[in-house]
Structure formats: structure tokens, C-alpha cells
Amino acid sequence: MSNRRKQRLEENTKNNADMEMTPMIDVTFLLLIFFMCTIKFKTLEGKLSAYLPKDKGVNPVPQDEPPEPPIEVKLNVRKEGTKLGPRGKEVYNPNNSKHSRFTFASDREITIRVEAKEYATVDLAFERLVVLHADEFQRERGVKIDARDGIVYDDVVRLLDAVIKAGFTAVEFEGYYEPE
């Protein structure tokens, strides 16, 4: 190959290798705008308006001024009751792989202690909480929910709903810690 032919080939290669960046940048911005306009952000489905205890646990945070002690609400199991499968018809068997969840039969009994008085249902405890919330001093104290062994999330959430429905805004949970 002659030098002149080599030179022409190199010139043609250099000229063809240059790329216009402006159309690529325009397309990139158009795609960016498209995705920004069509994105749907996930909404917060359920927020519990409650706080975990800060003065208990692995890294306790010291409190500056001790506030008024909150109204203590304790949940205890009086009678465990029968565990039923997810459909509520057959008895729950933990060894059976098809049963991943269970419900309780109507023979389960819990007690809810609000201050010194004991109630058998969330509705009765709710009535007491409404009376306490009517007193301005009691309202500022807030509520501390203490769930003991055997209490399930359903019981705690139903009680939390009742506390919020009664009008209390300062809700916290008792940190149940059993030392080894």
C-alpha cells in the first residue's frame, strides 16, 4: 500500500469517527424527564404514632427532666385458648408446613389493666381511657403499653387503636427485658 493511500484511509477514518454529542444529550434529557413524570412514589401505608422507650435497652439515652409518669396499660393472658388454622376451622399444627399463620378461638381470655383497674375487653378499657383523657392532667401524662408473654400483635394493635381513638397522642411501649 502506498503512503498516499494510507494517508487518505487515515483521514477518512478520523472524519467518520467524530460523533455528534448534542442529539445524544437531548435524548438523555428527554428520557430523564419522561421517567421523572411517570414515576410513582410508594406511599406510607401504616404508621404507628408511638415511640419505643429510650431509657431502656442496649444504648439507653438519659432523660434530662423526668416527665410525669404515663398511664400504665398492661396486657396479660388469662387463658391461652385454642389455636386454629388460618381458616379458623381446623386446630393449628405447627409441624404442618401448610399452616404458616394461626388465629385464636373465642375461648382465649386476656386482661387489660389500666392503672389499678382490670378489664376483660379492649372496649371496656377504651371507655376508661376516654374518662382519663377527659381530665387535662391525665391527658398530658400519655400512655405506656406493656405487653407481656403470650400477647400477640393483634391485641397490641387493637389496644393502640383504642388509645389513639380515646385522644392520647403520647404513646410509648414498655421495653420488656429479661436478663440472662
Side-chain angles (χ1 to χ4, degrees):
M1 222 154 106
S2 70
N3 279 342
R4 187 175 174 142
R5 194 170 174 192
K6 246 186 190 177
Q7 211 172 18
R8 241 189 328 184
L9 185 63
E10 286 176 7
E11 284 177 15
N12 285 341
T13 308
K14 285 182 184 177
N15 290 341
N16 291 339
D18 290 342
M19 238 176 158
E20 289 292 323
M21 293 302 291
T22 305
M24 290 179 77
I25 293 172
D26 289 345
V27 168
T28 305
F29 280 122
L30 285 173
L31 285 172
L32 181 64
I33 290 169
F34 172 76
F35 287 125
M36 285 175 60
C37 291
T38 59
I39 192 167
K40 289 185 180 179
F41 292 100
K42 189 175 184 180
T43 58
L44 185 61
E45 291 179 8
K47 179 184 176 199
L48 296 176
S49 56
Y51 303 98
L52 295 175
K54 294 179 181 170
D55 59 339
K56 292 184 173 68
V58 180
N59 299 321
V61 177
Q63 302 272 334
D64 295 337
E65 179 182 310
E68 291 293 323
I71 298 168
E72 293 208 16
V73 180
K74 290 186 181 182
L75 287 142
N76 286 308
V77 175
R78 178 180 289 169
K79 182 181 173 191
E80 182 65 34
T82 308
K83 292 181 182 178
L84 299 175
R87 292 185 189 93
K89 295 179 182 176
E90 67 275 358
V91 176
Y92 173 71
N93 182 0
N95 298 327
N96 193 343
S97 62
K98 70 178 183 178
H99 287 129
S100 59
R101 297 181 181 187
F102 64 87
T103 59
F104 284 105
S106 59
D107 61 345
R108 182 169 188 262
E109 295 177 15
I110 63 168
T111 60
I112 303 164
R113 181 180 292 270
V114 181
E115 296 284 83
K117 295 182 181 177
E118 198 168 283
Y119 303 96
T121 65
V122 174
D123 294 332
L124 295 173
F126 167 72
E127 291 173 9
R128 175 66 180 147
L129 289 167
V130 169
V131 171
L132 287 172
H133 188 265
D135 182 12
E136 191 173 321
F137 174 72
Q138 300 290 343
R139 184 181 317 149
E140 292 176 7
R141 288 177 60 192
V143 175
K144 182 190 287 188
I145 297 175
D146 183 4
R148 294 299 171 153
D149 289 337
I151 295 295
V152 294
Y153 291 119
D154 181 51
D155 298 330
V156 176
V157 171
R158 283 187 333 183
L159 180 65
L160 178 64
D161 288 343
V163 167
I164 292 170
K165 189 176 175 184
F168 288 97
T169 55
V171 181
E172 60 184 73
F173 292 96
E174 176 69 31
Y176 184 65
Y177 175 70
E178 202 172 287
E180 296 177 10

